[in-house]
Amino acid sequence: MKKLLLSFAIALCLPAIAAAQTVPGISSAVQSGAEAPVVLTPSFGAPTTAPPSQPAATQAAQAAQAAQAAQAAQAAPAAPAQSTPLTQALAQQAQAPAVQQAPVQAAQSQTAQANTAANSQATDAQFSRAKKKAPPKVQKVQDTFDLEQRARVAEYLGSSIQKPTGARSKGSATIYTYNPTGIYVVYCGLERVTDVMLQPGEKLPNGEKSIVGGDTSRWDVTPIQSGDPANPQIHVIIKAQDAGAVTNVVIATDRHTYILDLRSVEDWYMPAVSWSYPEEAMKALAMEAQQQQKVSTTTASIPVSAEKMDFQYKWTTGKAFSPLQVFDDGTHTYIRMPASVSSSDAPALFVIENKQPIYVNFRVKAGNSENGPLYEVDRLFERAELRVGDNKPVKIIRHPRWYQ
């Protein structure tokens, strides 16, 4: 600032000093006080004639005063310049103590550290996602594998589901054929209850904990008992709270496991559901046949005349439980089994109606060393199957086309 003021003062004084030195008789003019025109030559322009109203002595005095002022400004400390907003801001910034700048610097340092940490975390997250993401080929193989597994599960689930259209009925009850791994569809209505009737004599080993449901908020499942207290029958009462609700329930008794596929609808429902147990019925019949065989060892006979017998049947051959003969007398059907089939491992008989198998009860008459047991069915059928476990069934057809 001092240098700026000094330069400004010198610039003002130089023309006056130069004019005083170039005009002859300046000292005499000053002493006598005569007025004479003086030619001034500024450093930046052409010669200019001073106004006649100012004498040369006055101009010389002004030049001398300006020179003294410049020297005094150079020797003395510079006076503060005229204050402006810009100069005030610069002065405050220059005069601000280091103590006031320390918090600002600390805040800037913390902000820089936070930005560095955030950038590091973002980089780590991107690297982690890139590491977890499987390559396109691996992901495509995984998706294909999942679709294949889902299709396989849907295939055998579809074959295990039993629906009302393929079940028998008795009164208002829908009767399913029991299968240990079967799934049974049960439709429940709003403001209605469905009675799931278990086999008489069955028990729930863990009480209500033997019944487990998927959705317990929109379904009420309550077990009750009926009949003889010494040998009661368990009824599982099911009620839906909302229409369109779907869930499943597993009932584990001391004899069977039931898997129910529950579906709620608004305008209809299944009042009751129960099961038939063909394998257990076959075992009971086999035991009864064994007891009869112990009492009587007579050969099974057919109390009908040969004229009424119809032998126009065809069946699957080549299996251990393929029949030797199949015929009827107009009211009953007879199936002669091989001697290798004992009463204990006799196959179950299912009549096919509307493309659905229906278990049929029959009587077993014991055979001898030459002829095996004889099945006597109290009805006629067009198609039937003999089943043993998971083996392929033996199909029986009455009046096949090659007989017609």
Side-chain angles (χ1 to χ4, degrees), residues 31 60 77 107 125 131 140 193 199 220-221 275 297 311:
Q31 292 177 1
K131 185 176 180 181
K140 184 177 181 180
V193 295
Q199 188 180 39
D220 294 334
V221 181
W275 284 265
T297 58
F311 291 90

Side-chain angles (χ1 to χ4, degrees), residues 112-136:
Q113 293 178 0
N115 292 336
T116 303
N119 293 335
S120 177
Q121 292 179 359
T123 304
D124 294 342
Q126 292 177 358
F127 177 76
S128 178
R129 288 194 297 269
K131 185 176 180 181
K132 291 181 180 179
K133 186 176 180 180

